[in-house]
Amino acid sequence: MSVEHVVQPGHLGNLTIEQEGVLERLREHMKQELGLTNPIFDDFYLLRFCRARKFVYEDVKLMFDRHIEWRNQNNVDNMANFNLNGMEKLFEYLPHNYYCVDKQGRSVYIEQYKDFDLQAIHKVNST
């Protein structure tokens, strides 16, 4: 039994010329005006903002700028500064695994938050 994957409108592979133009403008804004080069900000990531604001560029830009401002204010990119020497020990207290791939071929990674031992994690991270 085969499952056919349908690319939804507004997603990569199913963009109108206008939608592609908004995505391109956001990419340029991100690189030229904001100086962002983090690979996390790929087209999949940017398209979430475009779809959320129905591809109205000024609204998309405002939402994305506020998102970046929030990330900077909350130091999101530096939140997980774990002691790399203790990573093996740390993973004993962080139930996690890659389980499969989705329909687009991306890895599915699952962390079981209910089983985290936060006190042990903090102890490993602070040593």
Side-chain angles (χ1 to χ4, degrees), residues 64-77:
F64 186 75
D65 288 349
R66 287 182 177 166
H67 170 70
I68 296 302
E69 183 179 324
W70 176 85
R71 286 179 71 94
N72 292 337
Q73 287 174 350
N74 292 285
N75 202 20
V76 170
D77 296 323

Side-chain angles (χ1 to χ4, degrees), residues 8-119:
Q8 299 294 319
H11 289 75
L12 285 180
N14 195 5
L15 297 174
T16 65
I17 294 170
E18 293 81 13
Q19 290 172 337
E20 184 65 47
V22 170
L23 177 60
E24 180 60 33
R25 286 179 69 188
L26 184 59
R27 262 192 240 118
E28 288 302 312
H29 170 68
M30 179 189 73
K31 292 176 185 172
Q32 301 298 325
E33 295 176 38
L34 300 177
L36 298 174
T37 59
N38 189 332
I40 191 174
F41 303 124
D42 61 6
D43 287 347
F44 290 104
Y45 194 93
L46 298 177
L47 277 169
R48 295 184 318 171
F49 294 91
C50 295
R51 287 190 303 270
R53 294 297 175 252
K54 302 197 183 320
F55 289 88
V56 176
Y57 177 71
E58 291 304 320
D59 295 343
V60 172
K61 180 179 173 256
L62 179 62
M63 183 183 189
F64 186 75
D65 288 349
R66 287 182 177 166
H67 170 70
I68 296 302
E69 183 179 324
W70 176 85
R71 286 179 71 94
N72 292 337
Q73 287 174 350
N74 292 285
N75 202 20
V76 170
D77 296 323
N78 298 315
M79 289 178 104
N81 289 327
F82 290 111
N83 175 357
L84 295 179
N85 295 329
M87 287 303 273
E88 296 81 21
K89 187 76 172 165
L90 181 68
F91 285 133
E92 292 177 21
Y93 304 109
L94 289 167
H96 68 284
N97 207 343
Y98 287 95
Y99 287 93
C100 59
V101 293
D102 68 8
K103 291 179 182 179
Q104 286 81 35
R106 299 172 295 203
S107 298
V108 175
Y109 178 78
I110 298 176
E111 293 180 342
Q112 298 172 359
Y113 294 109
K114 69 180 177 91
D115 296 326
F116 275 18
D117 185 343
L118 293 177
Q119 292 171 341

